[in-house]
Amino acid sequence: MSALIIFGLLIALMLTGMPISISLGLTVLTFLFTMTQVPIDTVALKLFTGIEKFEIMAIPFFILAGNFLTHGGVAKRMINFATAMVGHWHGGLGLAGVIACALFAAVSGSSPATVVAIGSVILPAMVNQGFPKQFGAGVITTSGALGILIPPSIVMVMYAVATSGMVVTGPDGQPVSSASVGELFMAGVVPGLMLAGFLAFTTWNRARKFGYPRLEKASLRQRWTAFREAAWGLMLIVVVIGGIYAGIFTPTEAAAMSAVYAFFISVFVYKDLTLRDVPRVLLSSANMSAMLLYIITNAVLFSFLMAHEGIPQALGEWMVNAGLSWWMFLIIVNILLLAAGNFMEPSSIVLIMAPILFPVAVRLGIDPVHFGIMIVVNMEVGMCHPPVGLNLYVASGITKMGITELTVAVWPWLLTMLAFLVLVTYVPAISLALPNLLGM
């Protein structure tokens, strides 16, 4: 009964057009003060302890690194490198766009940042070369979603924060703890590269089918020059992932390191960003970080309310008693998350849904890391379809195309992503192979 009241109130507030973060906070406060005896100082304490986690510090640092890289000329050099490698294949610039998105995703951690950084450079070039605008928009909108699957990923940090501290008894009676940020980052490598390959194949296939233009094959000297110019940006991938795996620093320290490194190469190596531009980048990063931290704060309150009312446990009991198998549960989760993607953005979905669904998943024997990666792939799909798909709005701003026109343009790649979602959902080895190999 309390679950119905809580979610009914939340949906009613969101339907008024109120921001999700405020809807969450108001729902919690209204329910706690009218239907429970929870003292007000507990709520105040939760607001502070909720964002006191060390992992949360990674979010502003990755946002700052992504902004420095977006404005600092790193994206342009990554595109030149990708074009030199695959530009002579069918749909050369389109393929280069997919590869450049994958490379930029490995340093930025954000999907919209990837679309802006790569799309604003490569889309005009594709149109000039004779590609239809719809083709270019479809490639970049969907490939930009790799920003949250290929580590580092802000959404993975959100999942780790939302489930941190949870210990649930598995089907064998053994306690299972939540996934760490490091485990999730390593688990995202193989699925990220696989999805990049799937999207690249879709791009190549459509380009070959419709006879889209190709570039001349680059010489070895041109390839070496392009690689040398992009090397400073590519080194960041080695610094972040290599540093975490080697145990040199934690994911949060890696985020701080990447922000400092991105500042250094943008201002002092590539010099596309001047010291006068730095305050503007810092301010936009602070704005984005404050928005996400405010959502996290209210979502922590919401998950406290869920736990206080015993909703995740009751849901778990009901599903186990109903004889629901793990594969049926995963179908329900996928449908639920794809539906939520229609009217909420990824951070909010993860912070609201993960604490509720995680205990049920563990009770049914689903690995926490695999479950996290499946949620992230769902969020990727949600970013590319209307009405709330963030990537659609970002791409719309770059291409000056309407949302309806863009929705039609992304369909071939969106279907590829849905097929990949099914694969990731039912083949856990895709997510778990690398963490298991590294002994995580």
Side-chain angles (χ1 to χ4, degrees):
M1 185 62 192
S2 48
L4 282 175
I5 296 168
I6 291 165
F7 282 102
L9 189 56
L10 179 63
I11 291 164
L13 288 171
M14 287 197 300
L15 287 174
T16 65
M18 192 180 285
I20 286 167
S21 52
I22 297 173
S23 302
L24 283 169
L26 268 180
T27 301
V28 173
L29 294 176
T30 305
F31 188 87
L32 285 179
F33 294 151
T34 58
M35 303 231 170
T36 69
Q37 301 297 312
V38 175
I40 193 165
D41 53 351
T42 306
V43 176
L45 190 68
K46 267 286 156 198
L47 281 170
F48 283 100
T49 55
I51 55 168
E52 218 177 16
K53 297 187 175 83
F54 184 61
E55 297 93 339
I56 290 178
M57 287 171 61
I59 294 168
F61 286 130
F62 278 132
I63 289 170
L64 182 59
N67 276 343
F68 276 130
L69 296 168
T70 303
H71 300 291
V74 175
K76 183 171 63 184
R77 289 164 177 86
M78 284 182 171
I79 290 167
N80 291 342
F81 171 60
T83 306
M85 300 308 288
V86 298
H88 58 286
W89 293 8
H90 288 287
L93 269 181
L95 278 178
V98 177
I99 291 170
C101 281
L103 291 173
F104 196 81
V107 294
S108 75
S110 162
S111 196
T114 306
V115 176
V116 170
I118 305 298
S120 53
V121 178
I122 210 161
L123 282 171
M126 288 179 76
V127 172
N128 289 342
Q129 217 204 355
F131 285 91
K133 192 190 269 190
Q134 288 85 346
F135 180 80
V139 170
I140 299 303
T141 304
T142 49
S143 300
L146 291 167
I148 61 169
L149 180 58
I150 295 177
S153 160
I154 291 170
V155 175
M156 287 181 192
V157 177
M158 294 280 196
Y159 172 78
V161 166
T163 58
S164 71
M166 285 191 174
V167 179
V168 183
T169 306
D172 56 356
Q174 296 296 314
V176 179
S177 58
S178 54
S180 70
V181 176
E183 287 172 330
L184 290 164
F185 279 8
M186 290 305 158
V189 174
V190 175
L193 294 176
M194 277 183 71
L195 182 55
F198 279 38
L199 294 172
F201 176 77
T202 306
T203 305
W204 174 84
N205 191 44
R206 289 186 70 76
R208 186 177 61 92
K209 185 177 172 184
F210 297 110
Y212 293 152
R214 301 157 72 165
L215 298 170
E216 279 186 30
K217 189 171 182 177
S219 65
L220 282 174
R221 181 188 287 270
Q222 287 170 319
R223 288 181 178 183
W224 170 246
T225 305
F227 171 72
R228 206 175 61 225
E229 287 182 355
W232 282 98
L234 298 173
M235 267 297 291
L236 188 50
I237 303 171
V238 180
V239 169
V240 173
I241 301 302
I244 294 170
Y245 167 55
I248 298 168
F249 36 62
T250 65
T252 305
E253 290 160 353
M257 179 76 191
S258 68
V260 174
Y261 184 91
F263 164 74
F264 177 76
I265 61 171
S266 299
V267 176
F268 299 111
V269 179
Y270 292 148
K271 297 177 182 171
D272 284 30
L273 201 68
T274 64
L275 284 170
R276 196 177 295 159
D277 298 323
V278 171
R280 180 171 52 84
V281 174
L282 290 172
L283 189 62
S284 69
S285 303
N287 278 337
M288 173 68 87
S289 302
M291 184 191 78
L292 284 177
L293 290 172
Y294 188 58
I295 294 172
I296 291 170
T297 307
N298 285 296
V300 165
L301 261 189
F302 189 77
S303 59
F304 163 70
L305 177 61
M306 293 279 114
H308 183 267
E309 294 300 308
I311 291 167
Q313 295 84 343
L315 186 67
E317 286 289 337
W318 177 77
M319 286 191 166
V320 170
N321 294 340
L324 202 69
S325 64
W326 67 272
W327 64 268
M328 289 161 69
F329 170 72
L330 289 179
I331 290 176
I332 294 167
V333 170
N334 279 330
I335 292 168
L336 187 66
L337 293 174
L338 290 173
N342 282 314
F343 60 92
M344 288 162 73
E345 50 87 43
S347 305
S348 307
I349 299 173
V350 171
L351 290 166
I352 294 169
M353 298 291 191
I356 299 169
L357 298 172
F358 175 83
V360 186
V362 171
R363 286 199 62 178
L364 292 171
I366 298 161
D367 189 281
V369 177
H370 166 228
F371 191 62
I373 297 300
M374 191 196 86
I375 288 178
V376 172
V377 177
N378 267 292
M379 297 306 97
E380 282 193 295
V381 176
M383 294 188 104
C384 300
H385 69 69
V388 182
L390 270 178
N391 285 10
L392 284 179
Y393 287 95
V394 175
S396 173
I398 298 168
T399 59
K400 304 292 181 276
M401 289 166 67
I403 295 296
T404 311
E405 193 182 357
L406 259 175
T407 305
V408 175
V410 302
W411 260 111
W413 292 271
L414 199 56
L415 290 173
T416 303
M417 290 171 85
L418 285 167
F420 179 72
L421 172 60
V422 174
L423 196 62
V424 161
T425 301
Y426 292 110
V427 186
I430 295 172
S431 311
L432 302 176
L434 190 59
N436 289 344
L437 188 69
L438 300 177
M440 299 177 88

